[in-house]
Amino acid sequence: MKFLRALPMMVGFVELIHGCIQFDLSREVSFFATAQVIGTYPGTSREELFGVCVSRCTKDIRCNAIDICSENLKCRLIRGWTPLTPGNVSEGVCLRFQMMCQDGYFYDRQNESCLQHYYCDFESNPESACFFSESPSDEFDWTILSGSTGSVGTGPTSAYHGLRYKYIETSAIASGQRAILESSKTFQAKTYCLTMYYHMYGDTINTLTIRTQKGNNAAIDRWKLSGDQGNVWHHLSGVNLPLDSQTKIIIEATKGSSFTGDTAIDYVELWQFACP
């Protein structure tokens, strides 16, 4: 990716240049699409919003884009790249200016290169873009759903991001049985950062676990949470995963003692660097 140097900042809808970093207008997004937002800042005019967020973005190594939300007099720092779905752009339209790479890649500020971005948003079925697939060694599968689960007192009422999420339906499953997702990509030998949203609401929620497994060795727990966490989506801000070509990632949900144990996940992302 080439940067332009020694050029002044330009305020407009085509490109924005600040020092040696160029931001290109990528698309309209909804003000309510917050999955990749690092921070939100106020301003009194469009010009001031540009100045506030471009300056902050160039100083924050996590930042790859900015949103200019003139209707709301806000600007936002964005970690990632052009959103996977546009969201409801009829309400609160923002303009996203991006450090551009080819589709499916994002600009890694630390390494000054374009890196592939792995994600699962569960918006399509089959999930051609998702880097996880159902494990052949589990007792039952995860389910993609839009809206509420079929049981009262458990599960989310909607996705965190977009329209669909993945969850375990526990009404007809024996206690202790597991639904397992396994990564389907080959990784480089380095530490990656996994982020996601999870929903664990219900009196008999059991356990949600993230593991890594190298070859036929015993899997290693990297993150685990058990029990009712309330009727809300929570953000797992980052789990460091040491990976290589022989190591896979596992996301496992275990069924509790009754039907009120519907655990859900949404918007799983894997970044090619250690968590900040």
Side-chain angles (χ1 to χ4, degrees):
M1 180 176 181
K2 295 181 180 179
F3 286 153
L4 300 182
R5 299 181 179 275
L7 292 174
M9 181 174 70
M10 298 172 58
V11 176
F13 288 163
V14 178
E15 62 182 20
L16 179 65
I17 301 168
H18 184 270
C20 63
I21 297 178
Q22 176 174 319
F23 296 80
D24 292 331
L25 176 63
S26 61
R27 68 181 300 173
E28 291 184 343
V29 297
S30 169
F31 182 73
F32 304 103
T34 60
Q36 294 176 323
V37 173
I38 298 170
T40 302
Y41 305 95
T44 59
S45 66
R46 190 182 71 190
E47 289 74 18
E48 182 180 351
L49 293 174
F50 273 116
V52 168
C53 270
V54 168
S55 176
R56 289 178 179 271
C57 187
T58 56
K59 296 175 183 177
D60 190 331
I61 202 167
R62 301 171 299 169
C63 183
N64 300 98
I66 61 170
D67 286 352
I68 303 300
C69 309
S70 299
E71 296 178 14
N72 307 85
L73 289 178
K74 304 284 187 182
C75 66
R76 309 188 299 195
L77 273 58
I78 304 298
R79 175 180 178 176
W81 96 106
T82 299
L84 312 178
T85 55
N88 183 9
V89 295
S90 65
E91 299 181 31
V93 175
C94 305
L95 295 175
R96 178 155 297 180
F97 289 83
Q98 193 78 38
M99 297 180 190
M100 297 299 291
C101 288
Q102 67 189 86
D103 289 345
Y105 286 70
F106 72 98
Y107 187 70
D108 177 16
R109 295 280 304 280
Q110 186 169 8
N111 296 308
E112 297 187 351
S113 62
C114 290
L115 297 178
Q116 187 171 4
H117 176 267
Y118 298 105
Y119 68 89
C120 298
D121 64 351
F122 311 122
E123 293 300 305
S124 62
N125 192 7
E127 306 163 77
S128 57
C130 184
F131 66 103
F132 279 103
S133 58
E134 298 290 339
S135 170
S137 61
D138 60 7
E139 287 84 32
F140 69 106
D141 287 343
W142 293 76
T143 301
I144 294 178
L145 186 66
S146 176
S148 300
T149 64
S151 302
V152 176
T154 188
T157 57
S158 63
Y160 176 83
H161 173 79
L163 298 177
R164 296 176 178 84
Y165 59 92
K166 209 157 206 179
Y167 84 108
I168 59 167
E169 174 54 60
T170 57
S171 297
I173 303 299
S175 176
Q177 290 193 320
R178 305 163 301 147
I180 300 174
L181 298 174
E182 295 182 350
S183 58
S184 54
K185 303 293 185 182
T186 300
F187 303 112
Q188 299 177 33
K190 60 182 177 180
T191 298
Y192 291 70
C193 181
L194 186 141
T195 65
M196 71 177 185
Y197 290 84
Y198 62 91
H199 192 286
M200 300 174 69
Y201 168 57
D203 290 340
T204 57
I205 290 288
N206 199 330
T207 302
L208 179 63
T209 308
I210 298 172
R211 299 186 172 100
T212 58
Q213 184 178 23
K214 186 178 180 69
N216 294 321
N217 295 333
I220 300 173
D221 290 356
R222 302 296 180 178
W223 179 86
K224 179 184 286 189
L225 188 64
S226 300
D228 185 356
Q229 304 299 316
N231 189 12
V232 64
W233 284 102
H234 298 275
H235 186 217
L236 177 58
S237 60
V239 178
N240 280 320
L241 302 178
L243 302 175
D244 56 40
S245 61
Q246 303 300 314
T247 301
K248 63 184 176 183
I249 308 168
I250 296 169
I251 298 180
E252 177 184 293
T254 305
K255 199 256 185 178
S257 60
S258 186
F259 68 90
T260 55
D262 294 352
T263 294
I265 59 174
D266 198 6
Y267 205 68
V268 184
E269 297 179 277
L270 186 67
W271 307 90
Q272 293 198 46
F273 45 75
C275 301

